[in-house]
Amino acid sequence: MNSTSQSDSTIDPPIETIQFYYNGIQIIGKIIIQTKQDLVVEMTSPYKGFKTGLHKPHFADPRSSYLDEEGLDYAITN
């Protein structure tokens, strides 16, 4: 069977740095794991070593993905 959907396999991102502000404090982190349904980020500033992740069940929205810019924007704002 052929499929046109994105693979769920892990993409090894280049050490991609993400930055945003929360309550006036700059938060900086790097993406550790990035798949269609999972995203794990390690904070590098203002603290080091803290990791957290998001998982989006396939049935919640099978069209969405953390592999594109829209998915990363969603992860940061929610």
Side-chain angles (χ1 to χ4, degrees):
M1 174 167 38
N2 292 334
S3 174
T4 58
S5 64
Q6 287 179 301
S7 169
D8 285 337
S9 63
T10 300
I11 301 293
D12 288 330
I15 307 268
E16 183 176 343
T17 301
I18 58 173
Q19 301 178 38
F20 62 95
Y21 286 87
Y22 180 77
N23 288 340
I25 299 170
Q26 184 180 31
I27 309 295
I28 302 172
K30 61 182 177 179
I31 296 174
I32 303 298
I33 297 172
Q34 184 177 16
T35 69
K36 182 176 180 183
Q37 294 174 290
D38 297 286
L39 183 66
V40 177
V41 175
E42 180 177 1
M43 184 185 297
T44 58
S45 177
Y47 305 103
K48 291 186 178 187
F50 179 75
K51 294 179 189 174
T52 192
L54 295 171
H55 172 76
K56 188 182 303 184
H58 177 73
F59 60 82
D61 185 358
R63 297 166 300 190
S64 66
S65 171
Y66 290 127
L67 294 176
D68 57 28
E69 284 296 319
E70 185 178 323
L72 290 178
D73 289 343
Y74 174 84
I76 290 171
T77 59
N78 289 297

